[in-house]
Amino acid sequence: MDLSEFRMTGNLPNSFGDLNQLLFVKLSINQLSGSIPSSLGNISDLIYFDLAGNNITGYIPTTIFRLQYLNLLSLGRNKLSGPLPPGLASLRSLSQLLLSLNNFTGPIPIEFGNFSSLQIMYIDNNKLSGAIPSQFFNATTLHEVVLSNNKLN
């Protein structure tokens, strides 16, 4: 489902997770607001989820950790906040994690050194702080990392 740049407004309803046959969701560059529905975790075969360039607020729901086939998670250019969830590292198929230009705070989780397939990670332009965990440098599949414009040591 590609509805990017479709001038959509409003919230994603919790019933969004009832669309459990979806593999590909691209809702980028719209005017969507509200939070990511926790029911997203019900779309068990989801491979691609792009919600970048909206006005999404709140946290990344922990139910997203159920999406074991997820290859791309793109949530950049929103208003998401809170800490980066360590559980993202449990997504074994994830190859691209794009979380730039949000309001994430706190340290980079140590678990981010445990991604098994991650190749690209953009977590720049947030409010992350602290040291970059040494485990992070052991991620052998990681080819491109952008961490700029945070408060990292």
Side-chain angles (χ1 to χ4, degrees):
M1 172 173 73
D2 185 353
L3 297 173
S4 58
E5 299 184 59
F6 210 67
R7 298 184 183 173
M8 293 175 56
T9 60
N11 298 350
L12 288 177
N14 204 44
S15 59
F16 188 75
D18 295 343
L19 303 171
N20 57 11
Q21 299 298 311
L22 289 175
L23 299 175
F24 177 94
V25 175
K26 188 170 184 179
L27 297 170
S28 57
I29 312 172
N30 280 294
Q31 296 164 9
L32 296 170
S33 56
S35 60
I36 299 169
S38 60
S39 66
L40 179 66
N42 297 339
I43 309 174
S44 59
D45 293 331
L46 191 63
I47 295 170
Y48 186 104
F49 187 68
D50 183 357
L51 196 56
N54 282 285
N55 293 305
I56 303 298
T57 57
Y59 301 97
I60 296 175
T62 57
T63 55
I64 208 165
F65 309 152
R66 291 188 231 152
L67 303 177
Q68 290 303 307
Y69 300 108
L70 193 64
N71 185 270
L72 177 135
L73 179 61
S74 179
L75 301 174
R77 292 175 290 150
N78 278 292
K79 296 175 183 172
L80 294 166
S81 59
L84 291 174
L88 287 173
S90 70
L91 297 173
R92 296 290 170 208
S93 298
L94 194 64
S95 67
Q96 296 182 58
L97 179 62
L98 311 173
L99 302 176
S100 302
L101 295 158
N102 277 290
N103 294 308
F104 291 112
T105 57
I108 297 172
I110 292 170
E111 292 83 355
F112 275 30
N114 299 331
F115 279 108
S116 59
S117 300
L118 196 66
Q119 296 175 13
I120 298 170
M121 179 190 301
Y122 292 175
I123 54 175
D124 57 295
N125 291 287
N126 280 287
K127 297 175 182 173
L128 300 172
S129 59
I132 300 169
S134 59
Q135 295 86 339
F136 190 75
F137 299 104
N138 297 331
T140 57
T141 60
L142 215 47
H143 298 292
E144 190 174 342
V145 179
V146 181
L147 305 171
S148 58
N149 295 317
N150 282 293
K151 297 175 184 175
L152 300 168
N153 303 345

